[in-house]
Amino acid sequence: MTSVADALRTSYDKGLTRPLAWRKHQLEQMVKMLEENEAALLSALATDLGKPSVEGFITDIAFVTSEVKLMIKKLKKWNKPERVRTPLVAMPARSRLIPEPLGVVLVIAPWNYPIQLLLVPAAGAIAAGNAVVMKPSEVSAVTSALLGELVPKYMDPSAVAIIEGGIPETTDLLEQRFDHIFYTGNGTVGRVVMTAAVKNLTPVTLELGGKSPVIVDSSANLKVSAHRIAWGKWLNAGQTCVAPDYVLVDEKVRDAFVEELGKAIGEFYGENPQASESYARIVSPRHFDRLKGLLRGTTPAIGGVSDEGTRYISPTVLVDVDLESQVMNEEIFGPILPVISVSSTDDAISYVNAHAHPLALYVFAENKKVVREVLSRTTAGGVTVNGTILHLTNPNLPFGGIGESGMGGYHGRAGVRIFQHMKPVLTRGTKLDPSLTYPPYTARKEKIFRKVL
Ligand code: NAD
């Protein structure tokens, strides 16, 4: 039987995906698919994740449509050859970087923003002229099934495919030959993906996770910091790759900060967050049990309430937990926020640097020198200063990790660039044919070389 990669390669080889008109139409169809099926998609997200519809709209619908509309607007520009300078030795000539697609791309997505994390990379691949296979996450099963039904209805199935399934189906896909694999998910599977890619020397983009720290300096505006941290943490019930994982707060302001955090939770979700329509649920019983396990033996300063039947865990704050405990040694990916006191921001920097490079880092400080110190002495995939999450909403800031948190950045121009080969082409004129570089290498020629090179 022909594999999906082979079937799409046939279309790609015929040149189906090359014309800008085809790419534009596919991107427009993607937008149309989201707009015409918004209610059904939001309801699928609500079933899978209890995702509040406003959150679903902002993060899984509008985020995608705005990225895709930008790609449509810039399609010509981002696929135009770029002129670059030519050195004297190669003259007469002109040099260009001609963008070309890579071929057939595989996009593997996780469950936490199941529409955004599948469609944004796929749209980038299409905008660059590739054929693409999308593999949504089986964990967000209802959204995955709906996308599986919608994508072939709206998009050209001979070059845009969607394959549903779990580990066996993904394993099968990974055995096929692709020209790029774009994987979003955890680092363990990231390694499986990269290992599989080695066989065909397929380049990979790995969008992984990890523990994203927040540093709260003593100079921070605590009320604003608490609001912004609470928003970034409890959005999607903490199931966000760039969610604040833990807070390192200056001990002088710790109590005041925790108090502000409690107030922010109350303002956002009311006395009983379980009754709030603005608060999501944990994706599956397995993920619920893992998070409950992280809470075992702890005494939350705020929250800690849960309900197994509805996979609810309240916004939970743990204060000064043991740094050796499990909650401080694996990505939390849920609504639990450890707050750790440090004696100075210097200590916070040392703690961050003793751990893997995070996907995101947040620093809250009014003192600009502190911000500069944190920026210059730490490494992270991306940073928001005096805020959380928002750096990823700017299409002019490539989004991705470094080291354990991944490789390769996307969004905006970078999200198309990742699926292009910028083919260097030097074209020489034939009217002049200077003999300088040709043998015999005379002393005069050498003298000229030594001057100009
Ligand atoms: P997941 O369980 O949905 O897995 C992701 C994908 O990998 C799925 O499509 C799944 O089918 C596939 N998969 C799972 N096990 C596999 C295996 N053994 N072999 C082949 N394929 C396999 O999602 P997850 O990994 O639980 O997602 C959460 C993680 O993703 C967190 O670490 C989070 O930080 C990270 N994440 C990163 C980003 C980012 O943009 N950097 C975004 C969202 C999530």
Side-chain angles (χ1 to χ4, degrees):
M1 210 181 87
T2 320
S3 71
V4 62
D6 285 347
L8 263 55
R9 191 172 302 284
T10 305
S11 307
Y12 177 79
D13 288 344
K14 281 188 194 145
L16 177 79
T17 62
R18 295 268 180 155
L20 291 186
W22 181 88
R23 305 183 201 182
K24 184 164 175 267
H25 181 62
Q26 297 308 309
L27 296 173
E28 285 168 349
Q29 285 295 103
M30 191 185 272
V31 172
K32 198 169 165 202
M33 173 178 86
L34 294 175
E35 288 175 349
E36 289 183 353
N37 299 281
E38 186 187 306
L41 289 163
L42 290 177
S43 147
L45 291 172
T47 311
D48 283 330
L49 287 144
K51 213 177 256 214
S53 73
V54 176
E55 260 182 43
F57 173 73
I58 296 172
T59 62
D60 267 304
I61 306 277
F63 190 96
V64 185
T65 52
S66 82
E67 272 276 327
V68 178
K69 284 177 182 169
L70 182 67
M71 286 177 200
I72 294 172
K73 193 169 149 207
K74 303 277 185 185
L75 195 63
K76 248 193 177 146
K77 186 168 180 212
W78 291 350
N79 283 290
K80 228 169 67 185
E82 287 170 22
R83 282 289 284 269
V84 292
R85 288 165 68 109
T86 306
L88 208 58
V89 283
M91 292 291 193
R94 67 188 173 114
S95 302
R96 288 165 301 161
L97 294 166
I98 301 181
E100 59 181 19
L102 303 174
V104 185
V105 169
L106 172 63
V107 174
I108 305 173
W111 49 265
N112 58 335
Y113 293 90
I115 302 175
Q116 180 199 137
L117 299 172
L118 186 74
L119 296 186
V120 172
I126 292 167
N130 298 277
V132 58
V133 179
M134 302 183 220
K135 167 45 196 86
S137 173
E138 71 282 15
V139 180
S140 44
V142 179
T143 311
S144 171
L146 182 56
L147 288 168
E149 186 189 312
L150 293 176
V151 168
K153 270 195 204 157
Y154 282 82
M155 307 187 71
D156 183 348
S158 51
V160 181
I162 181 160
I163 303 287
E164 281 186 77
I167 298 177
E169 290 77 8
T170 319
T171 306
D172 178 51
L173 283 171
L174 289 172
E175 276 162 15
Q176 302 173 30
R177 182 168 74 81
F178 288 93
D179 300 289
H180 194 100
I181 302 175
F182 189 106
Y183 167 79
T184 305
N186 68 74
T188 306
V189 177
R191 285 167 169 81
V192 172
V193 169
M194 198 162 175
T195 306
V198 164
K199 194 172 55 170
N200 294 308
L201 286 181
T202 302
V204 293
T205 301
L206 299 179
E207 300 290 342
L208 311 177
K211 293 182 83 63
S212 296
V214 183
I215 297 175
V216 178
D217 181 60
S218 59
S219 72
N221 177 330
L222 295 183
K223 189 178 161 94
V224 171
S225 308
H227 276 84
R228 293 178 182 178
I229 293 167
W231 172 73
K233 178 67 190 185
W234 289 294
L235 175 80
N236 204 24
Q239 301 164 112
T240 303
C241 55
V242 285
D245 189 274
Y246 62 93
V247 178
L248 299 168
V249 58
D250 191 301
E251 60 194 5
K252 294 188 278 303
V253 296
R254 199 231 18 217
D255 291 347
F257 170 71
V258 173
E259 199 185 321
E260 288 295 343
L261 211 47
K263 283 192 209 157
I265 293 170
E267 282 170 35
F268 290 1
Y269 308 112
E271 282 281 293
N272 175 18
Q274 194 166 8
S276 164
E277 287 187 357
S278 303
Y279 190 65
R281 296 294 183 269
I282 306 308
V283 71
S284 77
R286 173 168 63 91
H287 293 80
F288 177 87
D289 289 345
R290 185 184 64 81
L291 290 162
K292 282 285 287 179
L294 293 182
L295 284 177
R296 209 159 292 134
T298 65
T299 315
I302 300 170
V305 181
S306 63
D307 173 43
E308 192 174 349
T310 55
R311 303 190 311 274
Y312 164 77
I313 299 179
S314 66
T316 298
V317 176
L318 305 175
V319 174
D320 284 351
V321 296
D322 178 0
L323 294 180
E324 300 307 316
S325 64
Q326 203 184 346
V327 78
M328 284 307 291
N329 287 285
E330 68 176 53
E331 181 181 359
I332 295 171
F333 216 58
I336 304 164
L337 183 66
V339 175
I340 314 290
S341 311
V342 289
S343 54
S344 66
T345 295
D346 218 49
D347 276 3
I349 292 173
S350 304
Y351 185 84
V352 169
N353 287 341
H355 295 82
H357 295 328
L359 181 59
L361 182 141
Y362 305 114
V363 51
F364 288 84
E366 294 302 305
N367 183 339
K368 297 224 165 40
K369 198 166 152 259
V370 168
V371 174
R372 276 200 302 275
E373 275 283 288
V374 172
L375 288 179
S376 68
R377 289 175 52 202
T378 61
T379 298
V383 176
T384 299
V385 175
N386 286 325
T388 58
I389 315 259
L390 290 179
H391 61 281
L392 78 74
T393 65
N394 182 348
N396 303 309
L397 296 174
F399 170 67
I402 177 164
E404 287 284 324
S405 55
M407 56 184 76
Y410 75 126
H411 291 172
R413 174 73 182 98
V416 177
R417 176 72 190 80
I418 224 167
F419 300 109
Q420 289 172 325
H421 170 55
M422 300 299 281
K423 185 162 66 186
V425 177
L426 185 138
T427 308
R428 301 203 74 196
T430 54
K431 284 210 172 75
L432 294 173
D433 191 24
S435 60
L436 185 69
T437 54
Y438 296 149
Y441 305 121
T442 60
R444 193 182 137 262
K445 285 182 183 174
E446 184 178 352
K447 208 168 152 194
I448 297 173
F449 278 133
R450 289 189 181 279
K451 221 174 201 156
V452 298
L453 291 181

